[in-house]
mmCIF file of all heavy atoms in Angstrom:
data_model
loop_
_atom_site.group_PDB
_atom_site.id
_atom_site.type_symbol
_atom_site.label_atom_id
_atom_site.label_comp_id
_atom_site.label_asym_id
_atom_site.label_seq_id
_atom_site.Cartn_x
_atom_site.Cartn_y
_atom_site.Cartn_z
ATOM 1 N N ILE Y 18 -13.495 28.965 -2.641
ATOM 2 C CA ILE Y 18 -12.766 28.618 -1.414
ATOM 3 C C ILE Y 18 -13.119 29.651 -0.362
ATOM 4 O O ILE Y 18 -12.940 30.851 -0.570
ATOM 5 C CB ILE Y 18 -11.249 28.591 -1.655
ATOM 6 C CG1 ILE Y 18 -10.875 27.471 -2.631
ATOM 7 C CG2 ILE Y 18 -10.504 28.405 -0.331
ATOM 8 C CD1 ILE Y 18 -9.403 27.428 -2.971
ATOM 9 N N SER Y 19 -13.629 29.181 0.766
ATOM 10 C CA SER Y 19 -13.948 30.074 1.890
ATOM 11 C C SER Y 19 -14.054 29.228 3.147
ATOM 12 O O SER Y 19 -14.273 28.020 3.081
ATOM 13 C CB SER Y 19 -15.266 30.821 1.644
ATOM 14 O OG SER Y 19 -16.349 29.905 1.568
ATOM 15 N N GLY Y 20 -13.882 29.871 4.289
ATOM 16 C CA GLY Y 20 -14.005 29.144 5.544
ATOM 17 C C GLY Y 20 -12.680 28.659 6.089
ATOM 18 O O GLY Y 20 -11.607 29.166 5.735
ATOM 19 N N GLU Y 21 -12.740 27.625 6.899
ATOM 20 C CA GLU Y 21 -11.550 27.202 7.639
ATOM 21 C C GLU Y 21 -11.629 25.713 7.963
ATOM 22 O O GLU Y 21 -12.692 25.187 8.319
ATOM 23 C CB GLU Y 21 -11.473 28.002 8.942
ATOM 24 C CG GLU Y 21 -10.312 27.685 9.839
ATOM 25 C CD GLU Y 21 -10.347 28.517 11.104
ATOM 26 O OE1 GLU Y 21 -10.769 29.695 11.042
ATOM 27 O OE2 GLU Y 21 -9.971 27.981 12.157
ATOM 28 N N ILE Y 22 -10.495 25.046 7.843
ATOM 29 C CA ILE Y 22 -10.371 23.649 8.241
ATOM 30 C C ILE Y 22 -9.676 23.572 9.588
ATOM 31 O O ILE Y 22 -8.661 24.240 9.815
ATOM 32 C CB ILE Y 22 -9.578 22.842 7.188
ATOM 33 C CG1 ILE Y 22 -10.404 22.680 5.902
ATOM 34 C CG2 ILE Y 22 -9.190 21.459 7.723
ATOM 35 C CD1 ILE Y 22 -9.672 21.969 4.778
ATOM 36 N N ALA Y 23 -10.217 22.782 10.477
ATOM 37 C CA ALA Y 23 -9.617 22.538 11.786
ATOM 38 C C ALA Y 23 -9.431 21.040 11.966
ATOM 39 O O ALA Y 23 -9.795 20.236 11.093
ATOM 40 C CB ALA Y 23 -10.502 23.119 12.892
ATOM 41 N N ALA Y 24 -8.841 20.653 13.089
ATOM 42 C CA ALA Y 24 -8.613 19.229 13.354
ATOM 43 C C ALA Y 24 -9.028 18.894 14.776
ATOM 44 O O ALA Y 24 -8.894 19.711 15.695
ATOM 45 C CB ALA Y 24 -7.143 18.883 13.135
ATOM 46 N N ASP Y 25 -9.568 17.695 14.940
ATOM 47 C CA ASP Y 25 -9.869 17.169 16.274
ATOM 48 C C ASP Y 25 -9.309 15.750 16.357
ATOM 49 O O ASP Y 25 -8.442 15.381 15.550
ATOM 50 C CB ASP Y 25 -11.380 17.221 16.562
ATOM 51 C CG ASP Y 25 -12.208 16.459 15.530
ATOM 52 O OD1 ASP Y 25 -11.625 15.619 14.801
ATOM 53 O OD2 ASP Y 25 -13.425 16.677 15.458
ATOM 54 N N ASN Y 26 -9.773 14.973 17.305
ATOM 55 C CA ASN Y 26 -9.192 13.641 17.475
ATOM 56 C C ASN Y 26 -9.542 12.684 16.352
ATOM 57 O O ASN Y 26 -8.975 11.597 16.248
ATOM 58 C CB ASN Y 26 -9.639 13.039 18.809
ATOM 59 C CG ASN Y 26 -11.145 12.886 18.916
ATOM 60 O OD1 ASN Y 26 -11.891 13.440 18.116
ATOM 61 N ND2 ASN Y 26 -11.590 12.138 19.904
ATOM 62 N N LYS Y 27 -10.463 13.070 15.461
ATOM 63 C CA LYS Y 27 -10.798 12.241 14.308
ATOM 64 C C LYS Y 27 -9.986 12.613 13.073
ATOM 65 O O LYS Y 27 -9.720 11.766 12.229
ATOM 66 C CB LYS Y 27 -12.289 12.363 13.975
ATOM 67 C CG LYS Y 27 -13.221 11.715 14.975
ATOM 68 C CD LYS Y 27 -14.660 11.816 14.488
ATOM 69 C CE LYS Y 27 -15.624 11.132 15.438
ATOM 70 N NZ LYS Y 27 -17.028 11.214 14.955
ATOM 71 N N GLY Y 28 -9.623 13.896 12.944
ATOM 72 C CA GLY Y 28 -8.916 14.343 11.760
ATOM 73 C C GLY Y 28 -9.379 15.722 11.321
ATOM 74 O O GLY Y 28 -9.873 16.514 12.128
ATOM 75 N N PHE Y 29 -9.229 16.015 10.039
ATOM 76 C CA PHE Y 29 -9.634 17.313 9.490
ATOM 77 C C PHE Y 29 -11.161 17.382 9.370
ATOM 78 O O PHE Y 29 -11.809 16.407 8.982
ATOM 79 C CB PHE Y 29 -9.031 17.530 8.108
ATOM 80 C CG PHE Y 29 -7.563 17.893 8.117
ATOM 81 C CD1 PHE Y 29 -6.817 17.871 9.279
ATOM 82 C CD2 PHE Y 29 -6.932 18.262 6.940
ATOM 83 C CE1 PHE Y 29 -5.477 18.207 9.274
ATOM 84 C CE2 PHE Y 29 -5.587 18.605 6.923
ATOM 85 C CZ PHE Y 29 -4.862 18.574 8.095
ATOM 86 N N TYR Y 30 -11.703 18.571 9.651
ATOM 87 C CA TYR Y 30 -13.127 18.796 9.444
ATOM 88 C C TYR Y 30 -13.340 20.264 9.090
ATOM 89 O O TYR Y 30 -12.490 21.117 9.399
ATOM 90 C CB TYR Y 30 -13.932 18.421 10.690
ATOM 91 C CG TYR Y 30 -13.730 19.346 11.867
ATOM 92 C CD1 TYR Y 30 -14.585 20.431 12.100
ATOM 93 C CD2 TYR Y 30 -12.681 19.162 12.767
ATOM 94 C CE1 TYR Y 30 -14.407 21.288 13.167
ATOM 95 C CE2 TYR Y 30 -12.484 20.012 13.840
ATOM 96 C CZ TYR Y 30 -13.358 21.069 14.039
ATOM 97 O OH TYR Y 30 -13.162 21.927 15.103
ATOM 98 N N PRO Y 31 -14.447 20.599 8.450
ATOM 99 C CA PRO Y 31 -14.702 22.003 8.090
ATOM 100 C C PRO Y 31 -15.264 22.774 9.282
ATOM 101 O O PRO Y 31 -16.442 22.636 9.616
ATOM 102 C CB PRO Y 31 -15.726 21.889 6.951
ATOM 103 C CG PRO Y 31 -16.447 20.608 7.240
ATOM 104 C CD PRO Y 31 -15.453 19.690 7.882
ATOM 105 N N ALA Y 32 -14.432 23.587 9.900
ATOM 106 C CA ALA Y 32 -14.890 24.377 11.054
ATOM 107 C C ALA Y 32 -15.811 25.502 10.604
ATOM 108 O O ALA Y 32 -16.773 25.857 11.292
ATOM 109 C CB ALA Y 32 -13.701 24.938 11.815
ATOM 110 N N LYS Y 33 -15.524 26.095 9.431
ATOM 111 C CA LYS Y 33 -16.331 27.182 8.880
ATOM 112 C C LYS Y 33 -16.396 27.042 7.366
ATOM 113 O O LYS Y 33 -15.411 26.650 6.730
ATOM 114 C CB LYS Y 33 -15.721 28.547 9.233
ATOM 115 C CG LYS Y 33 -15.616 28.837 10.732
ATOM 116 C CD LYS Y 33 -14.924 30.166 10.961
ATOM 117 C CE LYS Y 33 -14.741 30.459 12.446
ATOM 118 N NZ LYS Y 33 -14.011 31.742 12.666
ATOM 119 N N PHE Y 34 -17.562 27.374 6.818
ATOM 120 C CA PHE Y 34 -17.714 27.375 5.368
ATOM 121 C C PHE Y 34 -17.677 28.783 4.793
ATOM 122 O O PHE Y 34 -17.687 28.959 3.583
ATOM 123 C CB PHE Y 34 -19.025 26.691 4.965
ATOM 124 C CG PHE Y 34 -18.961 25.191 5.066
ATOM 125 C CD1 PHE Y 34 -19.406 24.528 6.198
ATOM 126 C CD2 PHE Y 34 -18.431 24.437 4.026
ATOM 127 C CE1 PHE Y 34 -19.349 23.152 6.278
ATOM 128 C CE2 PHE Y 34 -18.364 23.058 4.098
ATOM 129 C CZ PHE Y 34 -18.827 22.408 5.240
ATOM 130 N N GLY Y 35 -17.630 29.791 5.659
ATOM 131 C CA GLY Y 35 -17.544 31.171 5.203
ATOM 132 C C GLY Y 35 -18.902 31.781 4.916
ATOM 133 O O GLY Y 35 -19.937 31.101 4.873
ATOM 134 N N ASP Y 36 -18.909 33.094 4.723
ATOM 135 C CA ASP Y 36 -20.139 33.802 4.368
ATOM 136 C C ASP Y 36 -20.550 33.461 2.943
ATOM 137 O O ASP Y 36 -19.724 33.042 2.122
ATOM 138 C CB ASP Y 36 -19.931 35.314 4.495
ATOM 139 C CG ASP Y 36 -19.649 35.732 5.932
ATOM 140 O OD1 ASP Y 36 -20.146 35.051 6.850
ATOM 141 O OD2 ASP Y 36 -18.928 36.735 6.130
ATOM 142 N N GLY Y 37 -21.823 33.678 2.649
ATOM 143 C CA GLY Y 37 -22.336 33.374 1.327
ATOM 144 C C GLY Y 37 -21.659 34.181 0.238
ATOM 145 O O GLY Y 37 -21.377 35.369 0.407
ATOM 146 N N ILE Y 38 -21.354 33.529 -0.886
ATOM 147 C CA ILE Y 38 -20.709 34.172 -2.030
ATOM 148 C C ILE Y 38 -21.641 34.049 -3.222
ATOM 149 O O ILE Y 38 -22.211 32.991 -3.474
ATOM 150 C CB ILE Y 38 -19.346 33.511 -2.341
ATOM 151 C CG1 ILE Y 38 -18.435 33.564 -1.106
ATOM 152 C CG2 ILE Y 38 -18.682 34.180 -3.532
ATOM 153 C CD1 ILE Y 38 -17.142 32.769 -1.276
ATOM 154 N N GLU Y 39 -21.801 35.136 -3.933
ATOM 155 C CA GLU Y 39 -22.660 35.114 -5.116
ATOM 156 C C GLU Y 39 -21.826 35.048 -6.393
ATOM 157 O O GLU Y 39 -20.738 35.616 -6.447
ATOM 158 C CB GLU Y 39 -23.553 36.363 -5.138
ATOM 159 C CG GLU Y 39 -24.558 36.414 -4.007
ATOM 160 C CD GLU Y 39 -25.485 37.614 -4.107
ATOM 161 O OE1 GLU Y 39 -25.238 38.476 -4.983
ATOM 162 O OE2 GLU Y 39 -26.442 37.683 -3.324
ATOM 163 N N PRO Y 40 -22.290 34.378 -7.447
ATOM 164 C CA PRO Y 40 -23.548 33.614 -7.486
ATOM 165 C C PRO Y 40 -23.418 32.332 -6.665
ATOM 166 O O PRO Y 40 -22.321 31.820 -6.452
ATOM 167 C CB PRO Y 40 -23.706 33.292 -8.974
ATOM 168 C CG PRO Y 40 -22.299 33.255 -9.497
ATOM 169 C CD PRO Y 40 -21.570 34.320 -8.725
ATOM 170 N N ASP Y 41 -24.555 31.835 -6.185
ATOM 171 C CA ASP Y 41 -24.544 30.660 -5.327
ATOM 172 C C ASP Y 41 -23.906 29.466 -6.023
ATOM 173 O O ASP Y 41 -24.276 29.110 -7.146
ATOM 174 C CB ASP Y 41 -25.973 30.300 -4.901
ATOM 175 C CG ASP Y 41 -26.561 31.320 -3.938
ATOM 176 O OD1 ASP Y 41 -25.772 32.087 -3.358
ATOM 177 O OD2 ASP Y 41 -27.785 31.342 -3.771
ATOM 178 N N LYS Y 42 -22.921 28.887 -5.349
ATOM 179 C CA LYS Y 42 -22.253 27.671 -5.818
ATOM 180 C C LYS Y 42 -21.813 26.889 -4.581
ATOM 181 O O LYS Y 42 -22.055 27.291 -3.454
ATOM 182 C CB LYS Y 42 -21.024 28.008 -6.673
ATOM 183 C CG LYS Y 42 -21.324 28.621 -8.018
ATOM 184 C CD LYS Y 42 -20.031 28.811 -8.810
ATOM 185 C CE LYS Y 42 -20.281 29.407 -10.176
ATOM 186 N NZ LYS Y 42 -19.034 29.570 -10.961
ATOM 187 N N TRP Y 43 -21.155 25.765 -4.827
ATOM 188 C CA TRP Y 43 -20.519 25.058 -3.727
ATOM 189 C C TRP Y 43 -19.384 25.928 -3.174
ATOM 190 O O TRP Y 43 -18.664 26.579 -3.928
ATOM 191 C CB TRP Y 43 -19.945 23.727 -4.207
ATOM 192 C CG TRP Y 43 -20.975 22.727 -4.599
ATOM 193 C CD1 TRP Y 43 -21.436 22.479 -5.857
ATOM 194 C CD2 TRP Y 43 -21.694 21.856 -3.728
ATOM 195 N NE1 TRP Y 43 -22.389 21.497 -5.826
ATOM 196 C CE2 TRP Y 43 -22.568 21.092 -4.537
ATOM 197 C CE3 TRP Y 43 -21.673 21.637 -2.345
ATOM 198 C CZ2 TRP Y 43 -23.424 20.123 -4.002
ATOM 199 C CZ3 TRP Y 43 -22.519 20.673 -1.812
ATOM 200 C CH2 TRP Y 43 -23.388 19.930 -2.635
ATOM 201 N N GLN Y 44 -19.238 25.939 -1.868
ATOM 202 C CA GLN Y 44 -18.155 26.705 -1.264
ATOM 203 C C GLN Y 44 -17.690 26.022 0.014
ATOM 204 O O GLN Y 44 -18.424 25.250 0.630
ATOM 205 C CB GLN Y 44 -18.593 28.134 -0.953
ATOM 206 C CG GLN Y 44 -19.658 28.264 0.131
ATOM 207 C CD GLN Y 44 -19.980 29.722 0.426
ATOM 208 O OE1 GLN Y 44 -20.618 30.403 -0.384
ATOM 209 N NE2 GLN Y 44 -19.541 30.199 1.591
ATOM 210 N N GLY Y 45 -16.447 26.321 0.398
ATOM 211 C CA GLY Y 45 -15.917 25.754 1.617
ATOM 212 C C GLY Y 45 -14.404 25.838 1.659
ATOM 213 O O GLY Y 45 -13.752 26.304 0.717
ATOM 214 N N PRO Y 46 -13.808 25.375 2.752
ATOM 215 C CA PRO Y 46 -12.361 25.515 2.945
ATOM 216 C C PRO Y 46 -11.567 24.468 2.182
ATOM 217 O O PRO Y 46 -12.070 23.380 1.880
ATOM 218 C CB PRO Y 46 -12.203 25.335 4.454
ATOM 219 C CG PRO Y 46 -13.330 24.418 4.832
ATOM 220 C CD PRO Y 46 -14.474 24.787 3.935
ATOM 221 N N SER Y 47 -10.310 24.791 1.902
ATOM 222 C CA SER Y 47 -9.433 23.873 1.181
ATOM 223 C C SER Y 47 -7.986 24.121 1.562
ATOM 224 O O SER Y 47 -7.550 25.273 1.673
ATOM 225 C CB SER Y 47 -9.613 24.036 -0.336
ATOM 226 O OG SER Y 47 -8.808 23.131 -1.049
ATOM 227 N N LEU Y 48 -7.231 23.053 1.761
ATOM 228 C CA LEU Y 48 -5.807 23.109 2.080
ATOM 229 C C LEU Y 48 -5.039 22.195 1.132
ATOM 230 O O LEU Y 48 -5.602 21.246 0.578
ATOM 231 C CB LEU Y 48 -5.555 22.668 3.524
ATOM 232 C CG LEU Y 48 -6.175 23.484 4.653
ATOM 233 C CD1 LEU Y 48 -5.911 22.799 6.001
ATOM 234 C CD2 LEU Y 48 -5.639 24.899 4.668
ATOM 235 N N GLN Y 49 -3.743 22.480 0.973
ATOM 236 C CA GLN Y 49 -2.920 21.607 0.146
ATOM 237 C C GLN Y 49 -1.526 21.453 0.747
ATOM 238 O O GLN Y 49 -1.081 22.264 1.571
ATOM 239 C CB GLN Y 49 -2.818 22.132 -1.276
ATOM 240 C CG GLN Y 49 -2.102 23.452 -1.438
ATOM 241 C CD GLN Y 49 -2.114 23.915 -2.892
ATOM 242 O OE1 GLN Y 49 -3.129 23.820 -3.579
ATOM 243 N NE2 GLN Y 49 -0.972 24.400 -3.350
ATOM 244 N N LYS Y 50 -0.860 20.377 0.307
ATOM 245 C CA LYS Y 50 0.461 20.061 0.856
ATOM 246 C C LYS Y 50 1.274 19.319 -0.201
ATOM 247 O O LYS Y 50 0.765 18.431 -0.884
ATOM 248 C CB LYS Y 50 0.324 19.182 2.101
ATOM 249 C CG LYS Y 50 1.624 18.883 2.812
ATOM 250 C CD LYS Y 50 1.365 18.093 4.088
ATOM 251 C CE LYS Y 50 2.644 17.866 4.875
ATOM 252 N NZ LYS Y 50 2.387 17.138 6.150
ATOM 253 N N GLY Y 51 2.546 19.708 -0.348
ATOM 254 C CA GLY Y 51 3.425 19.049 -1.298
ATOM 255 C C GLY Y 51 3.895 17.710 -0.778
ATOM 256 O O GLY Y 51 4.086 17.512 0.435
ATOM 257 N N LEU Y 52 4.107 16.772 -1.691
ATOM 258 C CA LEU Y 52 4.647 15.473 -1.336
ATOM 259 C C LEU Y 52 6.172 15.546 -1.267
ATOM 260 O O LEU Y 52 6.783 16.405 -1.885
ATOM 261 C CB LEU Y 52 4.228 14.422 -2.363
ATOM 262 C CG LEU Y 52 2.710 14.256 -2.589
ATOM 263 C CD1 LEU Y 52 2.469 13.219 -3.680
ATOM 264 C CD2 LEU Y 52 2.010 13.864 -1.301
ATOM 265 N N GLU Y 53 6.764 14.640 -0.531
ATOM 266 C CA GLU Y 53 8.218 14.628 -0.412
ATOM 267 C C GLU Y 53 8.881 14.321 -1.748
ATOM 268 O O GLU Y 53 9.984 14.782 -2.030
ATOM 269 C CB GLU Y 53 8.641 13.604 0.645
ATOM 270 C CG GLU Y 53 8.243 13.983 2.069
ATOM 271 C CD GLU Y 53 8.733 12.985 3.081
ATOM 272 O OE1 GLU Y 53 9.387 11.984 2.665
ATOM 273 O OE2 GLU Y 53 8.482 13.179 4.278
ATOM 274 N N THR Y 54 8.221 13.524 -2.557
ATOM 275 C CA THR Y 54 8.740 13.193 -3.876
ATOM 276 C C THR Y 54 7.570 13.001 -4.826
ATOM 277 O O THR Y 54 6.470 12.630 -4.399
ATOM 278 C CB THR Y 54 9.602 11.911 -3.845
ATOM 279 O OG1 THR Y 54 10.135 11.657 -5.145
ATOM 280 C CG2 THR Y 54 8.786 10.716 -3.395
ATOM 281 N N SER Y 55 7.765 13.285 -6.086
ATOM 282 C CA SER Y 55 6.690 13.084 -7.054
ATOM 283 C C SER Y 55 6.475 11.587 -7.272
ATOM 284 O O SER Y 55 7.393 10.779 -7.143
ATOM 285 C CB SER Y 55 7.041 13.769 -8.377
ATOM 286 O OG SER Y 55 8.216 13.212 -8.923
ATOM 287 N N LEU Y 56 5.238 11.243 -7.620
ATOM 288 C CA LEU Y 56 4.882 9.837 -7.781
ATOM 289 C C LEU Y 56 4.234 9.616 -9.138
ATOM 290 O O LEU Y 56 3.369 10.384 -9.550
ATOM 291 C CB LEU Y 56 3.912 9.398 -6.678
ATOM 292 C CG LEU Y 56 4.442 9.406 -5.237
ATOM 293 C CD1 LEU Y 56 3.325 9.061 -4.276
ATOM 294 C CD2 LEU Y 56 5.603 8.428 -5.091
ATOM 295 N N GLN Y 57 4.655 8.561 -9.804
ATOM 296 C CA GLN Y 57 4.040 8.178 -11.076
ATOM 297 C C GLN Y 57 2.863 7.240 -10.779
ATOM 298 O O GLN Y 57 1.739 7.654 -10.661
ATOM 299 C CB GLN Y 57 5.065 7.527 -11.991
ATOM 300 C CG GLN Y 57 4.543 7.249 -13.394
ATOM 301 C CD GLN Y 57 4.131 8.516 -14.130
ATOM 302 O OE1 GLN Y 57 4.834 9.514 -14.147
ATOM 303 N NE2 GLN Y 57 2.942 8.480 -14.733
ATOM 304 N N ASP Y 58 3.127 5.988 -10.638
ATOM 305 C CA ASP Y 58 2.061 5.071 -10.247
ATOM 306 C C ASP Y 58 1.928 5.090 -8.729
ATOM 307 O O ASP Y 58 2.935 5.043 -8.009
ATOM 308 C CB ASP Y 58 2.364 3.661 -10.749
ATOM 309 C CG ASP Y 58 2.328 3.594 -12.273
ATOM 310 O OD1 ASP Y 58 1.595 4.394 -12.878
ATOM 311 O OD2 ASP Y 58 3.037 2.748 -12.853
#
Side-chain angles (χ1 to χ4, degrees):
I18 295 177
S19 63
E21 179 181 325
I22 290 177
D25 57 18
N26 60 347
K27 290 184 178 181
F29 284 8
Y30 70 94
K33 299 177 183 178
F34 284 95
D36 296 330
I38 303 172
E39 294 184 353
D41 290 342
K42 291 184 179 181
W43 292 96
Q44 67 177 72
S47 182
L48 298 175
Q49 65 183 43
K50 184 176 184 178
L52 303 177
E53 292 183 0
T54 183
S55 61
L56 295 175
Q57 187 61 46
D58 294 332

